[in-house]
Structure formats: structure tokens, C-alpha cells
């Protein structure tokens, strides 16, 4: 047994994970209630090791937001604009193709495309976008649209969700994004995203996509008005759908950024809470193979530390990110491949460039040996516990 949990009240949960047993909702709540971050991290690290060994991945990708005009007014959102606002934007298909063509020269393998629920763009715009991007390079993987965007497209095109998904798949869509999940509990959803799709509607879009053979990621926005029980409920619903479809390739916990929106949060997520949430996600979501430490939301100092707390992926190079930065994120909008590789190596992991589905494209040398001084866990004591 890992020395961090030998004398911990959580040692029975370490035993469960070591035996390959699933933890319960009450077990997850115990983990959230614990202040022994290193013990929680040790359990998550065991679960990670069993899933992926000593590898940690990144992807060469580019974000494109086609528009920030949106018919909704989610309380937590700093990205959306109305047509009357002076700082809204809307890209043509040609604009998007130009951005994609430039990104391909940088070696990207994935385009990640989402936007607001635009009030007037026709259904054909979205199909034309996917078709035009697919024509650029058959190897380029297109990860586009959230569940609520799919439902909006169904409304714009007067179609069933299944018909929209089939049309997009036929046009060349490879994967849905996991955005928009927020927190599934209805009262929380009403408080932060009034008018957005319900948890059941979000899950059903992904269910239908998975049944078509599609794959997607899933997310959770944490650190606002939700409780620990709400987080566990959210994770449980994702785990149940994954039991049913096996269609989620990765989970991305997203720390809430409170600037420039209408949700009064006195204490946004600390480094302690972010690492704890990532770790518990790894332990609880035993049927989802990969957990991403989203460096845009965490910063590239904390994200590699999360590789010792259950995460096995740092996400991508991104190039241009609007949603988190309009909410107050101060991280760079682009990250080089060299920096991603360096961060993974310094965490004592073997860097792996992956594709959209977390499948390896190339495995690099580790170079930095895994030792007690660079396993990431000691860094949190100095860098983040002061803000817990």
C-alpha cells in the first residue's frame, strides 16, 4: 500500500481500487470531505497507473469559435453576446477554412469548434462548415459542437436530434465536444444556466451519438454554487451513461472562473479543490479511460501536478481560446508542443502525442526519471495549499 494511505482513514478505499472494485456515491463523498489531499491523490494515482501506465498525453489542436452571438443568457457565461452588443463576432465558412488551413501548417491533428446558439445562421451553414473542413485534409479530425448546439441545430433545421447527428456524421464530423454539461442537478442548473438543456437532454444527445458509433468527451464545471453531493451526482450520471454506451473517450473537469458574469462566488476553486476534484473523478469514473487536466483553466504550473493526482492528459496546443479567457483566465491562449512535452517530463511521465480519441500518434522518451523530488506531489504543498 502507498505510504500516503497506510495510516489514513481512506485506506479501505485504496483497497477497493487496488482490488478493481467500484467506489460508491458515499465513498466519493468521503473523499470530498477528506482534507488528506495526498491520500486522495495516491488512490487516484493508483487508478491512473492501472489505466495508462506511466504515459501522459497531449494533442496538437486548434480552437475555433465561429460566433459568440447566442440566444441564451447563461448566468455563468462571459462569452455570449447579443446582436445589439458591440463586441460580438461571426465567422464565415471561408474565415474558418482560412484559420484551419493556417493551423494545418503548424502540424495540428484536430480542430475543436464550438460557438453560441446563433439566432439566424441557417442549418446549411453548419453542414457546409464541416464539409469544407473535411475537404482540407481527410486526416484532420473534427471535434465540433456541444449537446446544446446540436439541439439548437435541430430547432433551426426543423429536424430530430438523430437526423442532425446523422447529417453531421455524413458531412465528416468525427467527435462531439463535451461542453455544456456544467452541473446536472436541476436547482444548480437553474441558478447558473437558466434556459439551457436539461441533464437528461445533454446525456441523450451523447447517447444517440454513441449509438451511431460516434465518440465524445464529457465535462463538469465545478467550483461555483454546487455542493460536493451535486458533483458526485454529476459523475454518477456520466458513469451510468458510459456503462450503457462506452462512448466517452475522456473526462475534462473544468474549474469555474468567476470574472465578468452574474454568479456571485466569493471563493473560486483553489488549487487544493482542483486537484481533489480531478483525483476523485479518476477514482469514480472507472469506466472512462482518460482524465484531462485542462491547462487553460488550471495554468501550466498546476496542470502537470495533476498528473500525480489522477490526470493523464494536459489537453492541447489550442492556439486561440476565447471562452475561459473572456471569463478571466490569465493563461496563454497558445501553448507550444515543446512546453507540453517539458511539463509532462518534469512530472515524471512519458509524453505521448495523441489524437482526438486519445489514441497515441507518437511516444516520446521520458528523459526525466520519476523520483520523490519530481513526482509532482510535493509541489502542491508549496504552491497551492496556501490558497486552499
Amino acid at each position: 500500500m502507498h505510504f500516503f494511505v497506510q495510516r489514513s482513514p481512506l485506506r479501505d478505499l485504496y483497497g477497493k481500487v487496488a482490488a478493481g472494485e467500484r467506489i460508491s456515491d458515499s465513498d466519493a463523498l468521503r473523499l470530498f470531505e477528506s482534507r488528506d489531499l495526498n491520500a486522495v491523490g495516491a488512490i487516484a494515482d493508483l487508478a491512473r497507473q492501472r489505466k495508462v501506465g506511466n504515459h501522459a498525453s497531449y494533442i496538437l489542436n486548434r480552437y475555433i469559435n465561429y460566433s459568440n452571438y447566442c440566444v441564451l443568457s447563461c448566468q455563468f457565461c462571459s462569452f455570449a453576446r447579443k446582436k445589439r452588443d458591440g463586441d460580438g463576432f461571426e465567422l464565415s465558412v471561408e474565415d474558418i477554412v482560412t484559420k484551419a488551413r493556417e493551423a494545418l501548417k503548424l502540424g495540428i491533428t484536430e480542430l475543436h469548434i464550438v460557438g453560441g446558439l446563433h439566432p439566424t445562421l441557417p442549418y446549411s451553414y453548419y453542414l457546409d462548415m464541416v464539409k469544407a473542413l473535411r475537404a482540407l485534409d481527410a486526416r484532420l479530425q473534427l471535434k465540433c459542437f456541444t449537446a446544446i448546439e446540436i439541439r439548437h441545430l435541430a430547432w433551426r433545421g426543423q429536424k430530430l436530434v438523430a437526423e442532425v447527428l446523422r447529417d453531421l456524421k455524413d458531412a465528416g464530423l468525427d467527435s462531439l465536444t463535451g461542453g455544456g454539461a456544467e452541473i446536472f442537478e436541476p436547482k444548480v442548473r437553474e441558478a447558473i444556466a437558466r434556459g439551457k438543456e436539461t441533464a437528461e437532454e445533454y446525456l441523450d444527445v451523447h447517447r444517440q451519438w454513441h449509438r451511431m458509433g460516434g465518440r465524445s468527451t464529457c465535462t463538469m464545471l465545478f467550483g461555483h454554487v454546487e455542493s460536493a453531493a451535486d458533483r458526485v451526482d454529476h459523475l454518477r450520471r456520466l458513469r451510468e451513461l458510459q456503462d450503457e454506451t462506452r462512448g466517452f473517450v475522456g473526462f475534462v473537469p473544468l474549474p469555474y472562473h468567476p470574472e465578468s458574469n452574474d454568479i456571485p462566488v466569493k471563493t473560486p476553486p483553489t488549487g487544493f479543490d482542483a486537484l481533489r476534484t480531478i483525483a476523485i473523478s479518476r477514482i469514480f469514473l472507472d469506466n472512462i479511460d482518460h482524465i484531462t487536466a485542462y491547462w487553460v483553466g488550471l495554468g501550466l504550473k498546476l496542470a502537470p501536478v495533476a498528473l500525480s493526482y489522477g490526470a493523464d492528459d494536459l489537453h492541447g496546443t489550442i492556439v486561440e481560446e476565447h471562452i475561459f479567457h473572456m471569463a478571466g483566465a490569465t493563461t496563454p491562449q497558445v501553448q507550444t508542443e515543446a512546453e507540453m512535452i517539458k511539463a509532462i517530463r518534469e512530472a515524471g511521465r512519458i509524453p505521448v502525442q495523441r489524437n482526438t480519441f486519445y489514441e497515441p500518434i507518437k511516444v516520446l522518451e521520458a528523459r526525466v526519471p520519476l523520483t520523490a523530488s519530481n513526482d509532482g506531489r510535493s509541489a502542491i504543498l508549496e504552491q497551492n495549499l496556501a490558497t486552499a
Side-chain angles (χ1 to χ4, degrees), residues 127-141:
L127 294 183
D128 290 345
M129 178 206 303
V130 174
K131 289 176 182 177
L133 294 171
R134 173 53 60 223
L136 277 180
D137 190 329
R139 297 168 298 177
L140 180 63
Q141 293 181 312

Side-chain angles (χ1 to χ4, degrees), residues 358-369:
Y358 291 78
E359 298 165 337
I361 294 176
K362 64 180 179 182
V363 180
L364 289 82
E365 294 180 0
R367 291 190 184 174
V368 179

Side-chain angles (χ1 to χ4, degrees), residues 50-70:
R50 292 189 160 210
K51 285 283 187 184
V52 300
N54 206 34
H55 293 139
S57 58
Y58 66 93
I59 187 169
L60 301 183
N61 66 348
R62 199 241 196 262
Y63 273 29
I64 299 178
N65 299 122
Y66 55 86
S67 178
N68 65 343
Y69 291 125
C70 188

Side-chain angles (χ1 to χ4, degrees), residues 2-268:
H2 200 288
F3 71 91
F4 280 120
V5 292
Q6 284 178 348
R7 298 181 180 180
S8 169
L10 302 176
R11 59 185 177 273
D12 60 315
L13 299 186
Y14 187 96
K16 272 192 174 184
V17 173
E21 298 176 13
R22 172 168 284 186
I23 72 165
S24 66
D25 289 19
S26 60
D27 291 334
L29 283 173
R30 279 180 59 201
L31 291 169
F32 272 115
E33 291 164 358
S34 174
R35 300 298 296 176
D36 191 348
L37 181 60
N38 283 328
V40 175
I43 299 170
D45 202 45
L46 172 64
R48 176 204 56 79
Q49 177 73 25
R50 292 189 160 210
K51 285 283 187 184
V52 300
N54 206 34
H55 293 139
S57 58
Y58 66 93
I59 187 169
L60 301 183
N61 66 348
R62 199 241 196 262
Y63 273 29
I64 299 178
N65 299 122
Y66 55 86
S67 178
N68 65 343
Y69 291 125
C70 188
V71 300
L72 294 180
S73 300
C74 296
Q75 298 93 312
F76 75 91
C77 183
S78 306
F79 173 73
R81 295 293 184 270
K82 303 301 181 187
K83 282 283 190 174
R84 61 181 177 271
D85 296 326
D87 57 347
F89 67 88
E90 174 185 317
L91 302 181
S92 67
V93 170
E94 291 74 20
D95 293 333
I96 295 169
V97 169
T98 297
K99 287 177 177 285
R101 187 178 287 116
E102 293 170 351
L104 280 169
K105 295 176 183 177
L106 302 175
I108 68 152
T109 65
E110 175 193 273
L111 287 176
H112 181 119
I113 301 176
V114 297
L117 307 188
H118 197 288
T120 58
L121 284 175
Y123 184 71
S124 58
Y125 169 89
Y126 304 91
L127 294 183
D128 290 345
M129 178 206 303
V130 174
K131 289 176 182 177
L133 294 171
R134 173 53 60 223
L136 277 180
D137 190 329
R139 297 168 298 177
L140 180 63
Q141 293 181 312
L142 304 178
K143 182 177 181 180
C144 309
F145 312 123
T146 62
I148 190 62
E149 287 175 271
I150 296 299
R151 291 184 59 81
H152 181 68
L153 266 61
W155 176 75
R156 291 292 300 158
Q158 295 297 291
K159 292 174 175 283
L160 298 173
V161 165
E163 293 176 311
V164 173
L165 292 172
R166 179 58 61 190
D167 286 348
L168 290 170
K169 190 174 180 65
D170 290 344
L173 183 65
D174 292 296
S175 174
L176 290 183
T177 75
E182 322 314 356
I183 287 289
F184 289 147
E185 209 289 322
K187 290 182 180 179
V188 175
R189 210 165 183 80
E190 174 68 14
I192 69 169
R194 189 178 305 115
K196 209 164 191 178
E197 86 276 42
T198 65
E200 291 73 21
E201 289 168 339
Y202 172 96
L203 293 167
D204 189 59
V205 169
H206 286 270
R207 177 183 290 109
Q208 292 192 57
W209 178 245
H210 296 169
R211 287 176 175 173
M212 293 179 183
R215 296 294 177 265
S216 60
T217 51
C218 51
T219 63
M220 178 176 70
L221 182 70
F222 68 91
H224 38 86
V225 300
E226 87 286 2
S227 67
D230 294 331
R231 295 185 191 183
V232 174
D233 171 73
H234 187 100
L235 295 173
R236 177 182 50 77
R237 296 195 201 201
L238 292 175
R239 189 169 73 175
E240 288 174 350
L241 181 57
Q242 182 72 342
D243 280 340
E244 179 185 337
T245 68
R246 313 301 294 188
F248 290 128
V249 295
F251 173 69
V252 190
L254 302 169
Y256 172 70
H257 282 254
E259 291 82 0
S260 304
N261 59 57
D262 297 329
I263 303 177
V265 176
K266 295 181 180 179
T267 307

